[in-house]
């Protein structure tokens, strides 16, 4: 009988697990939040992942439960484990990815490099942090942020007066204040780990953010061979091992002027910074995630070309008609790999991505950007 994987969450990450599931002969099912979501192409149920009976019912017919996002409440995860369901990544690891304060505390406990940080529960505590950090800081809501929502540059506690007021009602308890890191660039390191312990790493990549959203990814990160690549891999392997992460783990990093690496964010699932691997690595992050959560031997992570660049299509065409752009784009860029997620175009929304691989990073970057621009 085919191995059965249940994915909670019906976004584009679940959708991109479907092709490798088909190739490997797996039975993949998705619990989507709504009808017509990105992953609706798989055999999908529609239901609320906050509701324990719904999730238990969905899990009854699969061999392992995994995720498209980190938001499934701990009570629901605990109920799955209590019912004997294999859950990967497990609740203890996910708890660290679900809350930025928990994440900072746990990484600090492990002596892993993070920006200076503090939990601030009121204006006085935030002012004290600002005073200690040259009058500027980054403040984040511990939960519910994504794509830069929930992240602000702050010079005065008034800049987050709304969040401080909300603290009482939203149950955060405190905000995360961080030093504003003067990074030279952002990197991301993905690894995959299976329950029995095998762990593999892809090359470290450079990521370019615009308005807090990932815009471009360059694999491998230029000028990263040697010390930087080794350090990034070491950090991600240590996190995956110490936290017992199963499946794909992506670690977002800042590289500083003196070539130190500081950890920004963790994602315990396939991640936007690993989409290039679909077209330019022997094993994509989506195939690897399925192999890892099923505790199957992991695939090789080497690149199929010296360089690959992925550009996100944000928003999509103003007329909303992606398909109308296909004849022109596909004709002009036969070497590009186009991926669209079946989502309605909307300003700022990630609706697809384009990857180009080749020998020369500048040439590949130019062509990937031009191909993606066909969908602006
Ligand atoms: P999200 O979880 O919404 O993606 P992140 O914590 O990853 O938010 O932050 C989004 C972006 O904001 C980062 O990619 C980085 O460009 C910037 N940023 C976040 N934290 C810091 C920091 N401490 N110093 C400087 N820039 C930061």
């Amino acid at each position: 009988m085919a191995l059965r994987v249940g994915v909670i969450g019906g976004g584009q990450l679940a959708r991109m697990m479907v092709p490798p599931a088909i190739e490997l002969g797996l039975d993949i099912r998705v619990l989507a939040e709504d009808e017509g979501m990105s992953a609706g192409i798989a055999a999908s149920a529609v239901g609320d992942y906050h509701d324990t009976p719904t999730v238990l019912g969905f899990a009854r017919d699969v061999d392992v439960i995994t995720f498209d996002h980190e938001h499934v409440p701990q009570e629901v995860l605990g109920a799955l484990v209590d019912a004997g369901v294999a859950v990967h990544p497990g609740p203890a690891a996910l708890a660290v990815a679900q809350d930025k304060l928990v994440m900072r505390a746990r990484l600090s406990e492990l002596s892993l490099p993070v920006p200076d940080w503090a939990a601030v529960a009121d204006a006085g505590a935030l002012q004290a942090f600002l005073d200690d950090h040259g009058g500027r800081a980054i403040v984040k809501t511990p939960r519910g942020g994504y794509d830069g929502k929930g992240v602000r540059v702050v010079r005065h506690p008034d800049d987050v007066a709304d969040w401080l007021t909300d603290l009482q009602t939203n149950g955060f308890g405190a905000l995360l204040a961080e030093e504003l890191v003067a990074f030279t660039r952002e990197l991301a390191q993905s690894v995959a780990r299976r329950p029995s312990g095998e762990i593999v790493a892809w090359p470290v990549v450079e990521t370019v953010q615009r308005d807090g959203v990932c815009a471009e990814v360059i694999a491998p990160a230029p000028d990263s061979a040697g010390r930087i690549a080794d350090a990034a891999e070491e950090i991600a392997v240590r996190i995956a091992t110490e936290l017992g992460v199963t499946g794909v783990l992506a670690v977002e990093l800042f590289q500083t002027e003196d070539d130190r690496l500081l950890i920004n964010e963790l994602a315990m699932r396939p991640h936007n910074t690993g989409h290039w691997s679909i077209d330019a690595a022997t094993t994509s992050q989506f195939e690897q995630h399925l192999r890892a959560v099923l505790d199957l031997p992991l695939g090789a992570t080497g690149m199929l070309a010296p360089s690959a660049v992925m550009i996100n299509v944000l928003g999509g065409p103003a007329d909303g008609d992606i398909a109308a752009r296909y004849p022109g784009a596909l004709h002009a860029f036969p070497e590009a790999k186009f991926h669209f997620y079946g989502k309605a175009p909307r300003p700022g929304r990630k609706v697809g991505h384009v990857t180009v691989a080749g020998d020369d990073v500048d040439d590949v970057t130019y062509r990937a950007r031009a191909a993606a621009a066909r969908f602006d």
Side-chain angles (χ1 to χ4, degrees), residues 8 64-67 69-82 85-98 102 193-195 239-240 242-249 267-269 289 292-294:
I8 299 183
V64 60
I65 285 287
T66 190
F67 310 93
H69 58 73
E70 286 107 351
H71 308 312
V72 178
Q74 284 289 323
E75 306 83 77
V76 177
L77 298 172
L80 284 169
V81 171
D82 290 346
V85 178
V87 179
H88 294 296
L94 275 174
V96 180
Q98 285 176 334
V102 174
R193 181 175 174 276
R194 57 191 279 218
I239 294 171
E242 298 270 9
L243 302 184
V245 180
T246 42
V248 168
L249 166 73
M268 296 182 189
R269 50 172 168 76
H289 188 73
V293 300
L294 286 163

Side-chain angles (χ1 to χ4, degrees), residues 159-209:
D159 297 339
V160 287
D162 51 339
W163 290 351
L164 288 167
T165 309
D166 283 353
L167 279 184
Q168 308 312 323
T169 48
N170 63 17
F172 289 151
L175 299 172
L176 170 63
E178 283 187 349
E179 78 176 283
L180 183 70
V181 178
F183 54 80
T184 51
R185 61 175 176 173
E186 295 189 68
L187 302 173
Q189 174 69 61
S190 288
V191 296
R193 181 175 174 276
R194 57 191 279 218
S196 53
E198 186 191 3
I199 184 160
V200 295
W202 284 271
V204 66
V205 299
E206 180 172 337
T207 73
V208 180
Q209 321 286 129

Side-chain angles (χ1 to χ4, degrees), residues 23-75:
E23 287 162 15
L24 288 169
L26 308 175
D27 179 352
I28 187 165
R29 300 171 190 197
V30 173
L31 179 63
E33 294 83 334
D34 292 304
E35 298 285 350
M37 287 194 65
S38 230
I41 46 169
S44 60
V46 172
D48 181 3
Y49 62 80
H50 300 91
D51 181 58
T52 301
T54 299
V55 175
L56 282 174
F58 173 70
R60 206 171 296 128
D61 299 327
V62 300
D63 298 307
V64 60
I65 285 287
T66 190
F67 310 93
D68 161 277
H69 58 73
E70 286 107 351
H71 308 312
V72 178
Q74 284 289 323
E75 306 83 77

Side-chain angles (χ1 to χ4, degrees), residues 66-327:
T66 190
F67 310 93
D68 161 277
H69 58 73
E70 286 107 351
H71 308 312
V72 178
Q74 284 289 323
E75 306 83 77
V76 177
L77 298 172
L80 284 169
V81 171
D82 290 346
V85 178
V87 179
H88 294 296
L94 275 174
V96 180
Q98 285 176 334
D99 186 298
K100 292 183 188 199
L101 280 169
V102 174
M103 183 190 298
R104 285 284 177 262
R106 190 78 183 94
L107 295 176
S108 300
E109 224 172 76
L110 294 168
S111 302
L112 284 158
V114 293
D116 266 353
W117 67 278
V120 296
D122 54 43
L126 178 52
Q127 188 60 58
F129 188 86
L130 287 164
D131 293 344
D132 287 348
H133 292 87
R136 290 191 308 173
I138 292 265
V139 177
K140 303 181 180 180
T141 54
R143 288 170 172 269
Y146 66 96
D147 286 350
K149 296 173 185 63
V151 175
R152 282 186 202 161
V153 181
V154 169
R155 290 169 186 277
H156 191 277
D158 285 352
D159 297 339
V160 287
D162 51 339
W163 290 351
L164 288 167
T165 309
D166 283 353
L167 279 184
Q168 308 312 323
T169 48
N170 63 17
F172 289 151
L175 299 172
L176 170 63
E178 283 187 349
E179 78 176 283
L180 183 70
V181 178
F183 54 80
T184 51
R185 61 175 176 173
E186 295 189 68
L187 302 173
Q189 174 69 61
S190 288
V191 296
R193 181 175 174 276
R194 57 191 279 218
S196 53
E198 186 191 3
I199 184 160
V200 295
W202 284 271
V204 66
V205 299
E206 180 172 337
T207 73
V208 180
Q209 321 286 129
R210 280 191 207 109
D211 301 326
V213 183
C214 174
E216 304 187 1
V217 173
I218 307 160
D223 307 316
S224 64
R227 217 180 60 77
I228 290 291
D230 291 350
E233 183 172 332
E234 204 174 293
I235 286 170
V237 165
R238 176 117 192 277
I239 294 171
T241 312
E242 298 270 9
L243 302 184
V245 180
T246 42
V248 168
L249 166 73
V251 182
E252 295 178 22
L253 298 155
F254 299 130
Q255 183 173 342
T256 63
E257 236 161 31
D258 52 354
D259 281 352
R260 283 178 312 131
L261 296 180
L262 298 174
I263 301 160
N264 177 31
E265 264 277 73
L266 307 181
M268 296 182 189
R269 50 172 168 76
H271 190 245
N272 196 175
T273 58
H275 289 357
W276 65 272
S277 64
I278 301 173
D279 301 305
T282 302
T283 310
S284 80
Q285 62 167 351
F286 297 100
E287 175 181 346
Q288 199 83 288
H289 188 73
L290 295 170
R291 291 162 78 133
V293 300
L294 286 163
D295 206 8
L296 292 169
L298 302 177
T301 50
M303 292 187 62
L304 302 173
S307 197
V309 171
M310 187 241 34
I311 311 289
N312 275 334
V313 178
L314 296 170
D319 62 6
D321 196 346
I322 289 167
R325 308 295 177 99
Y326 266 7

